[in-house]
Amino acid sequence: MKTLTVRYLLCLMLFNLAACTTMQPVSVERAMQQPQPSGVDFGSLVEVTTLDRQSTKFRVTEMTPEGLGGSMGFFRYEDMRSLKVENPSSRDSNETWAYILGGLAIIGLIVLVASSDSVAICSPSPCTNPPNP
């Protein structure tokens, strides 16, 4: 029972962590035609793959009609093979941790109840019928 619970918890945590780091593709062609690519804002985490297949992740600190820039340099849209941006719903990690801890608390409560022995409440004490082993 305990190994199943531990495996379940690990799978749940891996699923939540994978869901928190999803990157959504952004059309490079559309980004070249618009002043600001859809879904990309200042401070967004982006992953740029260039035409020479080099991949770089950075936070956007500079945004022009020609491209995006950050701590790793400036990347022109014409030199990009693909552009991905962090899923906007995954930015709030506090909410994710609240779900993880809440799920762990519920699972812990279920395990505690399932592993407890039968409890007899006698009123008035002492009990006249001893509990069955």
Side-chain angles (χ1 to χ4, degrees), residues 12-87:
L12 180 67
M13 288 175 59
L14 286 174
F15 177 74
N16 281 330
L17 291 175
C20 291
T21 58
T22 57
M23 301 289 276
Q24 300 294 323
V26 175
S27 171
V28 177
E29 290 81 20
R30 282 191 182 168
M32 292 173 80
Q33 298 169 356
Q34 299 173 349
Q36 178 179 352
S38 60
V40 180
D41 295 315
F42 288 100
S44 296
L45 178 65
V46 295
E47 180 179 0
V48 172
T49 304
T50 59
L51 293 174
D52 57 353
R53 299 185 190 265
Q54 293 181 355
S55 182
T56 307
K57 279 187 179 181
F58 60 92
R59 295 258 177 218
V60 176
T61 57
E62 181 181 357
M63 194 177 331
T64 67
E66 290 82 33
L68 301 173
S71 61
M72 304 303 285
F74 186 81
F75 297 90
R76 297 174 54 87
Y77 293 126
E78 337 175 308
D79 300 331
M80 291 182 192
R81 171 174 273 218
S82 69
L83 172 64
K84 295 180 183 176
V85 65
E86 178 184 38
N87 187 357

